[in-house]
Amino acid sequence: MMIRCLAIDDEPLALQQLVAYINKVPFLKLAAQCQSALEASAFLENDTVDAIFCDINMPDLSGMDFIKSLAAPPLVVFTTAYSEYAVESFRINAVDYLLKPFGMQDFQRAANRLRERLENAPANLSTNANSDVLFLKTDYRIVKVNIHDIRYIESMSEYLKVWLVNQSKPIITLLSMKKMEERLPKFFMRIHRSYIINLNKIQEVNKNRVILDDETNLPVGDLYKEPFQTYLENNFLGK
């Protein structure tokens, strides 16, 4: 198992040390390093990680408040020079709490706890064949999703973004498009190597674009044009 990590610390030397520790652990992979919670928040708008190593005392937005602000926070290990935050960190389900200055032995312990938590997590997708509900694992949380609320699903490397009705941010889960396709009912169709859509959410089809709303129009890939065209013809009313 390779664990993608985000390192956050406003002190350059502390961030450099944190990155060095991450690079020494074979099952950790550094996805990005940030010097503020705001920078980290911008990164997570377009990417995802399995774990965050995060300083607590930072200007503008503290590490604690940053983690609380995330809709689906990854696993987190807090790093700080102040022991008084320990209790609060575990209240928000932190995997570990590293008190500065910490050495490689303490960091390795935290890394091992991360791996153990992820290995013992439930499967990323479960459903009952007769149910309209999916359960998706997003980091260490299990989220219940009504299938009819799914607008479309977007592939993002090894992850999927599941876009829902009336939600501005997607649920991000580690899952393949193939496995998701196998679990979805017949009113979902793959129209592109990167997109599965809920056919009931289509507002308009314009040439090779499927329009779901004013802000969402998705391409139809060459490999998927024929089955999609067949669906349209079977449901077309007119001359």
Side-chain angles (χ1 to χ4, degrees):
M1 170 184 286
M2 186 63 70
I3 301 173
R4 281 171 50 83
C5 302
L6 177 61
I8 312 170
D9 201 306
D10 65 308
E11 299 176 7
L13 290 178
L15 182 59
Q16 183 180 346
Q17 183 66 75
L18 184 57
V19 168
Y21 285 155
I22 290 172
N23 289 334
K24 287 180 180 179
V25 179
F27 56 83
L28 296 183
K29 180 180 180 181
L30 182 68
Q33 52 182 299
C34 301
Q35 287 191 257
S36 72
L38 297 179
E39 184 183 346
S41 182
F43 171 80
L44 291 175
E45 287 288 333
N46 300 304
D47 210 330
T48 186
V49 294
D50 303 305
I52 297 177
F53 291 90
C54 185
D55 186 27
I56 292 179
N57 288 84
M58 294 187 290
D60 297 324
L61 182 64
S62 76
M64 197 77 71
D65 290 337
F66 166 62
I67 297 299
K68 289 178 180 177
S69 74
L70 298 176
L75 298 180
V76 61
V77 173
F78 284 115
T79 64
T80 182
Y82 303 93
S83 59
E84 61 264 28
Y85 294 107
V87 173
E88 186 179 358
S89 72
F90 288 113
R91 282 178 181 162
I92 62 173
N93 206 28
V95 174
D96 211 338
Y97 180 92
L98 294 173
L99 191 61
K100 296 178 181 180
F102 53 87
M104 185 62 202
Q105 184 176 356
D106 290 329
F107 184 85
Q108 183 71 60
R109 178 200 70 214
N112 290 340
R113 288 181 176 176
L114 279 175
R115 181 169 62 176
E116 182 180 357
R117 182 79 71 88
L118 286 168
E119 286 177 344
N120 292 332
N124 278 21
L125 173 66
S126 63
T127 185
N128 183 308
N130 298 316
S131 173
D132 288 334
V133 169
L134 293 176
F135 289 92
L136 297 175
K137 185 173 82 68
T138 175
D139 301 306
Y140 61 85
R141 298 167 57 240
I142 305 296
V143 180
K144 184 174 76 171
V145 176
N146 188 313
I147 288 175
H148 297 276
D149 288 340
I150 298 175
R151 298 171 57 241
Y152 70 100
I153 296 154
E154 179 181 0
S155 175
M156 186 182 67
S157 188
E158 301 96 348
Y159 292 82
L160 297 181
K161 289 182 177 181
V162 181
W163 295 88
L164 303 177
V165 174
N166 298 325
Q167 290 195 23
S168 60
K169 292 186 177 182
I171 294 171
I172 299 176
T173 187
L174 180 62
L175 202 65
S176 70
M177 288 286 270
K178 184 176 185 298
K179 188 170 183 181
M180 179 62 85
E181 274 188 285
E182 291 171 352
R183 294 298 186 94
L184 290 171
K186 292 183 178 180
F187 56 85
F188 283 86
M189 179 178 287
R190 190 165 183 176
I191 61 166
H192 189 276
R193 62 185 178 84
S194 298
Y195 298 108
I196 298 172
I197 64 167
N198 183 338
L199 296 168
N200 295 329
K201 304 300 182 185
I202 295 175
Q203 288 190 0
E204 185 179 331
V205 178
N206 190 339
K207 296 183 179 179
N208 290 325
R209 310 290 298 189
V210 176
I211 299 170
L212 302 183
D213 57 43
D214 291 341
E215 298 179 353
T216 309
N217 68 87
L218 306 175
V220 180
D222 290 340
L223 293 176
Y224 305 91
K225 282 181 182 178
E226 186 174 341
F228 183 65
Q229 187 63 37
T230 299
Y231 164 77
L232 292 178
E233 291 172 358
N234 289 341
N235 291 276
F236 185 75
L237 185 63
K239 295 181 179 180

